Amino acid sequence: MGPIKHPLAFWGSLFAITLGILAIGLFSGPIHIPSSHLLHLSHIETQVLFEIRLPRLLTAFLVGACLATAGAAFQGVLQNPLADPYVLGVSA
């Protein structure tokens, strides 16, 4: 894979996609909360958003980021793009 010709556009589009996915995760679920009601939420909708969905969403995002960082660290330490936890025996 060659160098990225427009890195600002690349990282900007990845950031926009990430924000879109986080918004979809925040507003979708068994209790439908339209994004147009964001300024006029009821007490139940506020609890659902900020006490259930947002912590779950942020936890999933941080766990994914940590796993990606660990995978990149393995590949960097071993200087092998195919490195995985089984190579060093740390999968258990």
Side-chain angles (χ1 to χ4, degrees):
M1 187 171 185
I4 300 171
K5 293 184 181 183
H6 302 287
L8 186 61
F10 174 75
W11 290 110
S13 62
L14 283 181
F15 183 72
I17 290 170
T18 301
L19 285 181
I21 290 172
L22 290 175
I24 290 170
L26 189 61
F27 291 109
S28 63
I31 298 176
H32 181 68
I33 301 172
S35 59
S36 61
H37 292 169
L38 192 57
L39 298 176
H40 309 293
L41 292 175
S42 69
H43 180 66
I44 299 293
E45 291 172 336
T46 303
Q47 282 186 322
V48 168
L49 276 180
F50 294 110
E51 294 181 14
I52 297 173
R53 291 185 185 171
L54 189 62
R56 180 187 64 197
L57 191 66
L58 293 177
T59 302
F61 183 76
L62 289 175
V63 167
C66 290
L67 288 172
T69 303
F74 271 125
Q75 291 175 353
V77 167
L78 298 175
Q79 297 180 353
N80 181 356
L82 300 177
D84 62 356
Y86 300 102
V87 173
L88 294 178
V90 295
S91 61

